[in-house]
Amino acid sequence: MLDRVLFLKSLAAAFATAVTPAPVPTATPRPWDQCLENPALPYDRPLGLKMRVLDGPDFDLQKYRGSPTILHIFATWCEPCAVEMPFVVALSQKYAAQGLKIVGIDADESDNAVRAYRKKFDIPFPIAMDRDGLFTRALENNRSSTWSIPVSLYITPAGYLYCYTEGSSKNPGNELTYRVEKFLKESSS
């Protein structure tokens, strides 16, 4: 529980201090650098988070140290999440050999609803269950605007928040691929 509290406090600090990058000109061929970054966040240690996993061993972010990791927050009722999920699944498989780990986090739904969703999209990665919704609501409450899922939190191999994205995109396949490749490249340097 303490790790979860520290993670939420660290994430709250990230949202409070995150710098929004300058808008990318529309003529740029890859306008997907909206990933909100702040590599100099004042963490005194890597982030920690523990949750129950649907039909699997509990999720502990500390066990993912050494691997670039994406925490992908979704809900089964969310249309943009359903549009994006096949691309997230494909990326988890395509970049597994490069060490990328993806963990889904369901936003406060029943096990059976999430099982059906996992089967529908053939999701190979673990799905942590935010059963009480505390994690998702804590993220939302630290924003001045309305939270928009899906949300992806990019966690470096050292366990620090690299950046986060929220909301749907018009071109999820290309956008997600671009962001993951950039994340993997910068995480390995």
Side-chain angles (χ1 to χ4, degrees), residues 76-126:
T76 63
W77 50 262
C78 165
E79 263 187 63
C81 299
V83 169
E84 190 173 283
M85 189 56 76
F87 298 104
V88 175
V89 167
L91 290 172
S92 74
Q93 296 165 338
K94 180 178 180 179
Y95 294 102
Q98 292 180 28
L100 179 68
K101 306 287 186 199
I102 296 180
V103 176
I105 298 179
D106 176 72
D108 194 21
E109 297 181 278
S110 75
D111 288 4
N112 287 337
V114 179
R115 279 187 191 100
Y117 191 84
R118 179 179 62 193
K119 184 177 180 178
K120 176 181 179 180
F121 290 103
D122 199 21
I123 298 173
F125 47 82

Side-chain angles (χ1 to χ4, degrees), residues 23-189:
V24 177
T26 54
T28 303
R30 300 230 188 236
W32 302 306
D33 284 319
Q34 301 93 340
C35 196
L36 303 173
E37 303 176 18
N38 190 343
L41 294 174
Y43 300 130
D44 59 354
R45 66 183 197 171
L47 302 173
L49 177 65
K50 294 179 182 180
M51 285 185 176
R52 182 180 73 82
V53 168
L54 180 70
D55 303 327
D58 287 351
F59 166 68
D60 182 351
L61 186 57
Q62 296 288 335
K63 292 180 181 176
Y64 285 73
R65 298 246 344 248
S67 298
T69 303
I70 297 173
L71 304 180
H72 184 72
I73 303 167
F74 69 94
T76 63
W77 50 262
C78 165
E79 263 187 63
C81 299
V83 169
E84 190 173 283
M85 189 56 76
F87 298 104
V88 175
V89 167
L91 290 172
S92 74
Q93 296 165 338
K94 180 178 180 179
Y95 294 102
Q98 292 180 28
L100 179 68
K101 306 287 186 199
I102 296 180
V103 176
I105 298 179
D106 176 72
D108 194 21
E109 297 181 278
S110 75
D111 288 4
N112 287 337
V114 179
R115 279 187 191 100
Y117 191 84
R118 179 179 62 193
K119 184 177 180 178
K120 176 181 179 180
F121 290 103
D122 199 21
I123 298 173
F125 47 82
I127 300 174
M129 301 297 288
D130 187 16
R131 172 63 85 178
D132 53 14
L134 288 177
F135 176 72
T136 308
R137 279 195 298 280
L139 294 177
E140 186 174 34
N141 290 339
N142 286 305
R143 304 284 295 151
S144 58
S145 60
T146 304
W147 188 258
S148 181
I149 58 175
V151 172
S152 293
L153 305 171
Y154 294 73
I155 310 296
T156 68
Y160 296 89
L161 178 66
Y162 166 77
C163 73
Y164 64 95
T165 61
E166 66 178 85
S168 62
S169 69
K170 293 181 181 177
N171 193 342
N174 290 338
E175 183 174 337
L176 288 168
T177 299
Y178 173 77
R179 286 184 177 155
V180 166
E181 288 177 356
K182 181 179 177 187
F183 174 55
L184 290 173
K185 181 180 176 186
E186 291 180 11
S187 292
S188 67
S189 41

